[in-house]
Amino acid sequence: MDTSSIRTTGSRMRSTRATEDPAWVRGVLIAVSLCFALVFLVLPLLNVFGQALAKGWATALASLTEPDTRSAVVLTLVVAGICVPLNTIFGIAAAWLITRFEFKGKALLTTLIDLPFSVSPVVTGLVYILVFGLRGHLGPWLDERGIQVIFALPGIVLVTLFVTVPFVARELIPLMQTQGSDQEQAAMTLGASGWQTFWHVTLPSIKWGLLYGVILCNARAMGEFGAVSVVSGHISGITDTLPLRIEKLDKEYNAVAAFSIAALLALLALVTLGLKTWLEHRQNRLLDLAQSPPDEH
Amino acid sequence: MSIELRNVSKRFGQIAAVDSVSFGVGEGELVALLGPSGGGKTTVLRMIAGLEQPTDGDILIRGKRVNDVSVQQRNIGFVFQGYALFKTMSVFDNIAFGLKIKKWPAAERTARVEELLALLELQGLAKRFPHQLSGGQRQRVAIARALAPKPSVLLLDEPFGAVDARIRQELRDWLVHLHGELSVTTVFVTHDQEEAMEVSNRIVIFGRGRLEQIGAPREVYEQPSNEFVARFIGVLNVLELRVENGAARLHELSFPTHGVAEGSALRIGFRPYAVQISRDLAEYRYRATLQHVYFLGVLLRLELVTPSGLTIRTRITKDDFVRLGLAEGDSLSFNIREYRVLSRDGDALPPEVAAVHQAPSSYADGI
């Protein structure tokens, strides 16, 4: 009796030890992760700002107001201004369709939404050239009617749309799945039409997730390089977006200007990250509140 | 008739969730749809609401066919199982939602919400959000929200499922009370037979998509139309007997043959209250040992085991238990006062048979 009980205790102690790493292992792992993050993430980022300000604030600001750069800023804002609203509408519609209805091809649609994540942006650009380019399928027909897609704004907008399709939809689908359709059905039994239900019930309950998706979508729309590079034609002052402008300035050995714009984009990324973290925190807190056991009053 | 269903069916693919169901609910009635899960009762409720479309048959509300009327236009109040309160709205806004949609003027809207808050004793909670309420309060907000636009019928899906036992009892009283006050036609779904018996005027019992029986609680308890109902409503002891030597027997128990041929099987069922017990071993026909005593409150459930190992369940009041001075392990005699012959599934049940216990007229008989 005694020996068996000792043996059980012994094995329990061993198993406790097995699930907990010794302190030095934890220390090494933390140090390695921190070093990695510092060397590969923080230092380059600091370097961007350092290079941008190497010749002082004035030079950096001056390079931002240079005409070609200004037009790149405008073009980038125009592209994001078109793509983000369109993909927001598409994302809501797709998420609504996928989470609220059963239909044939639902799995296919879900996979298609993910497609831009798995296709290299360069391939995306080449595909659009194949379709809309002068030697492509639709290009000559459009050209006859005086519509230029490739090496012009429409091409840049199209590829950016394609690349940023998943962001809003991907964010909303799991959220709307967990929320279910009970609240919407309740609104309908109270007389609300489909639109009223969406506006008063669905939208308020997904707004933080939606905003999060929109922010990510915007960051990508402004930062996309590969696909835009293939279809833009790199015409300074006309079809250069901010990322393309950075590349061009860098190739021209204009480090300060290149890094000034890079710093602008990096700032955008940092703000996006900050907002994202704050929204995530908020969303989780709301979820916790909604799921917490009710207090007895 | 406030609600009427005529041969309503609902098929999902090949499966008939609801199979040709017809029944009516009178104006101001409080009716329970009772059945095991998968019995089709929730589907029936959702079809009345317009949340599901029947595959066949007609649904009428106040004499008007509503098959083609949308949920929004049916003027029903629906209380969902998980309440489905709008979590981004305060209690006030939740209750006012239907009124806002129906474009009530703001002043009337506020007055109506205040009235419902008072009726459901939710005063002081108007500014709270659903996650700040207890289960019982959420439930009452859901009922208030459904009642606000003055619906012609109130439909509740498992209204007491998601709260603990104490609040459940409180809410049952609420529903009865509320119904007495407003006398709005009310239909609720439940799988709890006790709840259905206690709360409703009439019970509609569903099993496997079919309507098994409809009647007042007492009717379905005392005159179940088939074995399914008899087993579902209350506890039923079921014995499988074989007819041998002119009587239906199972070990030491024997019953009349009821015209069943020699050698074939016969099933009988009896309620726990139909079992009489006595400490006097000579008083009743059969002997048993008191195996277990389960305390249920006012009632006690006793488990008797006969010498051959058959288990018989019975119930007695606490007073009787004390009067008889029973304890686990005691020997006693028992008799089955009433029982019914259970027929094949779906067939109508023959009436209960009273097995009049004949005490030996004299112990000197046969000397």
Side-chain angles (χ1 to χ4, degrees):
Chain A
M1 268 302 268
D2 268 351
T3 45
S4 79
S5 80
I6 287 166
R7 216 177 291 138
T8 352
T9 329
S11 72
R12 203 174 296 146
M13 280 176 70
R14 256 198 308 280
S15 74
T16 319
R17 236 184 261 145
T19 56
E20 240 175 64
D21 296 313
W24 68 268
V25 173
R26 268 183 289 162
V28 166
L29 284 174
I30 291 171
V32 166
S33 318
L34 276 181
C35 280
F36 191 87
L38 198 69
V39 172
F40 290 96
L41 297 174
V42 181
L43 279 182
L45 194 63
L46 288 178
N47 190 40
V48 168
F49 290 101
Q51 293 281 344
L53 299 173
K55 289 178 186 161
W57 282 94
T59 329
L61 285 177
S63 62
L64 283 181
T65 50
E66 191 249 335
D68 281 356
T69 304
R70 275 228 308 262
S71 79
V73 171
V74 171
L75 178 65
T76 302
L77 288 177
V78 167
V79 170
I82 296 171
C83 293
V84 174
L86 282 178
N87 267 332
T88 304
I89 294 168
F90 170 79
I92 295 172
W96 181 278
L97 198 64
I98 284 169
T99 57
R100 296 292 180 259
F101 298 98
E102 286 303 323
F103 55 93
K104 275 187 184 170
K106 186 166 154 173
L108 184 71
L109 179 62
T110 316
T111 316
L112 275 179
I113 289 174
D114 277 344
L115 188 68
F117 273 161
S118 51
V119 174
S120 162
V122 177
V123 176
T124 306
L126 287 174
V127 166
Y128 274 82
I129 294 226
L130 209 64
V131 176
F132 295 106
L134 275 182
R135 266 173 286 167
H137 302 292
L138 286 175
W141 184 84
L142 287 169
D143 192 53
E144 280 167 29
R145 281 146 191 85
I147 302 167
Q148 197 188 353
V149 174
I150 300 302
F151 305 143
L153 179 69
I156 299 173
V157 169
L158 280 176
V159 292
T160 309
L161 263 180
F162 180 88
V163 170
T164 55
V165 152
F167 291 95
V168 174
R170 270 283 122 206
E171 199 52 48
L172 292 184
I173 289 168
L175 185 66
M176 288 172 74
Q177 248 155 8
T178 49
Q179 283 184 347
S181 56
D182 271 8
Q183 290 183 58
E184 284 146 16
Q185 290 186 3
M188 281 156 69
T189 63
L190 290 165
S193 65
W195 178 246
Q196 285 171 321
T197 303
F198 175 75
W199 193 250
H200 294 297
V201 177
T202 313
L203 199 58
S205 66
I206 61 167
K207 63 181 174 201
W208 296 112
L210 179 65
L211 196 55
Y212 178 25
V214 167
I215 287 170
L216 287 181
C217 181
N218 182 59
R220 185 64 192 268
M222 289 188 170
E224 175 56 27
F225 176 82
V228 173
S229 170
V230 175
V231 297
S232 102
H234 301 267
I235 309 163
S236 289
I238 299 174
T239 64
D240 266 350
T241 60
L242 281 178
L244 300 187
R245 182 82 193 137
I246 295 171
E247 195 217 13
K248 197 171 273 177
L249 288 167
D250 183 53
K251 287 221 172 105
E252 290 165 2
Y253 300 103
N254 191 346
V256 169
F259 278 104
S260 298
I261 307 171
L264 195 68
L265 276 180
L267 262 181
L268 173 78
L270 286 177
V271 169
T272 304
L273 263 180
L275 278 175
K276 169 181 147 11
T277 314
W278 178 69
L279 284 177
E280 240 168 12
H281 173 74
R282 212 194 145 89
Q283 181 86 41
N284 284 341
R285 210 172 53 105
L286 285 178
L287 274 180
D288 284 350
L289 280 178
Q291 282 163 359
S292 65
D295 2 327
E296 294 292 337
H297 296 291
Chain B
M1 270 307 147
S2 184
I3 303 170
E4 205 182 337
L5 275 74
R6 291 182 187 157
N7 299 315
V8 170
S9 299
K10 175 73 181 178
R11 274 183 289 279
F12 295 104
Q14 290 299 306
I15 306 145
V18 176
D19 192 6
S20 194
V21 163
S22 305
F23 69 92
V25 179
E27 195 69 49
E29 249 192 312
L30 175 51
V31 168
L33 306 184
L34 175 66
S37 56
K41 54 195 192 308
T42 296
T43 312
V44 167
L45 193 79
R46 291 174 64 86
M47 285 195 289
I48 298 172
L51 292 167
E52 303 271 5
Q53 283 299 316
T55 321
D56 274 316
D58 297 322
I59 297 173
L60 294 89
I61 295 179
R62 289 191 168 156
K64 188 173 151 249
R65 188 173 177 276
V66 292
N67 284 45
D68 305 320
V69 178
S70 69
V71 206
Q72 286 92 342
Q73 304 301 320
R74 284 197 195 185
N75 193 30
I76 47 103
F78 200 101
V79 177
F80 288 80
Q81 194 173 358
Y83 314 146
L85 295 177
F86 305 130
K87 59 181 190 184
T88 54
M89 295 181 205
S90 66
V91 167
F92 186 97
D93 290 340
N94 261 282
I95 300 174
F97 185 83
L99 307 177
K100 216 166 103 185
I101 294 295
K102 297 200 165 112
K103 301 205 162 58
W104 283 37
E108 282 177 43
R109 218 153 66 197
T110 312
R112 178 69 177 153
V113 175
E114 298 290 349
E115 184 189 340
L116 283 160
L117 286 171
L119 183 67
L120 287 144
E121 288 180 15
L122 290 163
Q123 298 104 322
L125 300 177
K127 289 201 180 82
R128 295 258 182 100
F129 282 84
H131 64 80
Q132 296 168 314
L133 302 175
S134 71
Q137 289 166 342
R138 286 179 201 185
Q139 167 79 328
R140 284 182 345 242
V141 173
I143 294 176
R145 182 180 67 178
L147 285 173
K150 302 192 169 163
S152 52
V153 291
L154 179 63
L155 308 170
L156 304 99
D157 187 6
E158 295 275 1
F160 316 115
V163 287
D164 60 53
R166 186 176 56 81
I167 299 172
R168 196 177 309 154
Q169 185 57 49
E170 202 180 293
L171 285 168
R172 282 186 205 176
D173 300 346
W174 259 109
L175 190 62
V176 174
H177 178 77
L178 202 68
H179 182 259
E181 207 153 302
L182 303 173
S183 67
V184 57
T185 310
T186 305
V187 179
F188 74 100
V189 157
T190 179
H191 62 266
D192 183 339
Q193 46 105 2
E194 225 172 90
E195 197 169 280
M197 304 275 267
E198 187 182 325
V199 174
S200 59
N201 305 137
R202 281 199 303 155
I203 300 180
V204 185
I205 298 165
F206 289 92
R208 295 147 300 177
R210 288 206 310 271
L211 194 157
E212 302 284 353
Q213 191 174 3
I214 179 163
R218 192 167 177 166
E219 265 166 50
V220 296
Y221 188 75
E222 289 178 352
Q223 290 134 37
S225 63
N226 57 39
E227 185 179 342
F228 176 85
V229 176
R231 275 171 174 261
F232 196 75
I233 301 282
V235 183
L236 193 70
N237 286 290
V238 176
L239 299 175
E240 305 264 353
L241 309 159
R242 191 156 287 281
V243 179
E244 279 160 3
N245 304 326
R249 295 171 200 279
L250 179 67
H251 302 299
E252 57 268 77
L253 305 184
S254 75
F255 297 84
T257 60
H258 295 283
V260 176
E262 189 78 12
S264 49
L266 176 70
R267 270 141 59 80
I268 66 147
F270 54 93
R271 300 281 187 206
Y273 67 76
V275 179
Q276 296 167 296
I277 57 170
S278 168
R279 294 207 62 160
D280 178 357
L281 296 182
E283 184 167 359
Y284 297 120
R285 188 170 168 192
Y286 307 114
R287 298 275 183 94
T289 310
L290 179 55
Q291 185 93 344
H292 282 298
V293 177
Y294 299 94
F295 182 69
L296 306 175
V298 185
L299 283 179
L300 293 151
R301 185 154 71 83
L302 308 183
E303 218 172 78
L304 312 178
V305 177
T306 66
S308 63
L310 277 175
T311 304
I312 307 286
R313 284 167 296 173
T314 169
R315 281 177 191 213
I316 64 171
T317 63
K318 204 169 72 185
D319 291 347
D320 284 347
F321 185 78
V322 172
R323 191 169 48 77
L324 290 169
L326 291 171
E328 285 184 7
D330 282 359
S331 292
L332 33 84
S333 68
F334 76 93
N335 182 45
I336 295 160
R337 188 158 41 93
E338 292 163 332
Y339 64 92
R340 49 179 86 242
V341 175
L342 301 174
S343 41
R344 302 264 169 267
D345 274 0
D347 289 356
L349 281 187
E352 214 159 33
V353 179
V356 181
H357 171 64
Q358 286 170 344
S361 50
S362 158
Y363 289 104
D365 268 7
I367 292 178

